[in-house]
Amino acid sequence: MATFTKGVTPSTEKYDGSSLRVLIVHTRWNYEVVEALVRGATETMTSEYNVKSENISIQSVSGSYELPFATQSLIGASRMNVQSSQSFDVVICIGVLIKGSTMHFEYIAEAVSQGIMRVSLDSGVPIVFGVLTCLNDEQALERAGLGDKESKHNHGIDWGRCAVEMGVKNTRWMTGVI
Ligand SMILES: Nc1c(NC[C@H](O)[C@H](O)[C@H](O)CO)[nH]c(=O)[nH]c1=O
Ligand SMILES: CC(=O)[C@@H](O)COP(=O)(O)O
């Protein structure tokens, strides 16, 4: 059977993230997993793309359902600062939803994904969807690079790379450079 490379193929362009201002909004539900994802994203952005640590703002909320509203508010607040350089070039929303025994998971997952997309399109700020929607604990651990499965991979790394690419590209596009 034909096979293919799973996951994202890295861009051929080496992006310079040294002038990017990044916001990470993360949840405190399933925090051990969230913390690993946040670390994966921040370490990737600073080590691979020269994003300055002082240009990465990190905010937390209770759960994933709060991510869209908090992100909308934080983008708005950043634009109220006198220096326009205070506004964010890109946002990463990070959360971990784990299915329980009711339909709560399905309702939150749908609301959060639609909400984050709406905030991104309405604000014109690229927002990386970093919310794991897992059916069990093992899926969450594996996708944060935790646990003992050989296939484990920290998706925060991918989200950090995506954030730098979208931040750099959107900054160009906003000035008419295609
Ligand atoms: N069960 C999970 C939640 N639930 C909480 C909601 O996200 C929200 O904070 C609450 O309904 C109050 O508005 N959140 C997660 O991020 N992960 C879960 O597994
Ligand atoms: C994603 C959730 O809200 C879920 O963890 C809640 O669990 P339950 O469906 O058993 O109430």
Side-chain angles (χ1 to χ4, degrees), residues 27 29-30 62-66 95-98 104 108:
T27 66
W29 262 76
N30 307 312
S62 177
S64 296
Y65 194 80
E66 282 70 50
V96 176
L97 283 166
I98 299 176
H104 202 223
I108 295 176

Side-chain angles (χ1 to χ4, degrees), residues 19-23 54-55 57 78 85-90:
S19 60
L20 283 183
R21 281 188 47 79
V22 182
L23 169 66
E54 59 267 28
N55 287 343
S57 299
S78 73
S85 62
Q86 295 299 316
S87 59
F88 299 116
D89 300 305
V90 61

Side-chain angles (χ1 to χ4, degrees), residues 29 97-106 108:
W29 262 76
L97 283 166
I98 299 176
K99 170 78 177 163
S101 52
T102 72
M103 288 290 290
H104 202 223
F105 169 88
E106 284 80 356
I108 295 176

Side-chain angles (χ1 to χ4, degrees), residues 142-162:
E142 186 181 347
R143 287 156 179 76
L146 304 172
D148 50 14
K149 281 198 170 181
E150 279 299 304
S151 56
K152 66 185 179 184
H153 167 71
N154 188 333
H155 285 221
I157 296 168
D158 306 325
W159 301 337
R161 291 172 178 158
C162 178

Side-chain angles (χ1 to χ4, degrees), residues 1-168:
M1 184 177 77
T3 62
F4 58 92
T5 306
K6 282 267 185 69
V8 62
T9 299
S11 169
T12 53
E13 181 175 348
K14 186 70 184 146
Y15 302 106
D16 174 12
S18 58
S19 60
L20 283 183
R21 281 188 47 79
V22 182
L23 169 66
I24 294 177
V25 189
H26 71 79
T27 66
R28 295 190 304 278
W29 262 76
N30 307 312
Y31 182 65
E32 290 86 346
V33 181
V34 168
E35 196 275 337
L37 294 165
V38 171
R39 188 171 60 248
T42 53
E43 289 179 354
T44 299
M45 290 191 289
T46 53
S47 64
E48 289 186 18
Y49 296 97
N50 300 319
V51 175
K52 297 186 177 71
S53 299
E54 59 267 28
N55 287 343
I56 301 176
S57 299
I58 299 180
Q59 297 278 340
S60 77
V61 291
S62 177
S64 296
Y65 194 80
E66 282 70 50
L67 287 171
F69 180 84
T71 303
Q72 177 178 267
S73 296
L74 286 161
I75 290 172
S78 73
R79 288 173 169 167
M80 288 166 67
N81 290 353
V82 174
Q83 303 91 347
S84 59
S85 62
Q86 295 299 316
S87 59
F88 299 116
D89 300 305
V90 61
V91 182
I92 309 176
C93 288
I94 296 180
V96 176
L97 283 166
I98 299 176
K99 170 78 177 163
S101 52
T102 72
M103 288 290 290
H104 202 223
F105 169 88
E106 284 80 356
Y107 286 101
I108 295 176
E110 174 64 14
V112 172
S113 61
Q114 293 294 337
I116 289 173
M117 176 63 77
R118 183 173 68 77
V119 171
S120 186
L121 293 174
D122 289 354
S123 66
V125 177
I127 303 176
V128 175
F129 183 70
V131 180
L132 296 183
T133 51
C134 302
L135 300 179
N136 54 56
D137 297 358
E138 291 70 32
Q139 288 183 350
L141 289 168
E142 186 181 347
R143 287 156 179 76
L146 304 172
D148 50 14
K149 281 198 170 181
E150 279 299 304
S151 56
K152 66 185 179 184
H153 167 71
N154 188 333
H155 285 221
I157 296 168
D158 306 325
W159 301 337
R161 291 172 178 158
C162 178
V164 172
E165 177 176 357
M166 289 305 292
V168 168

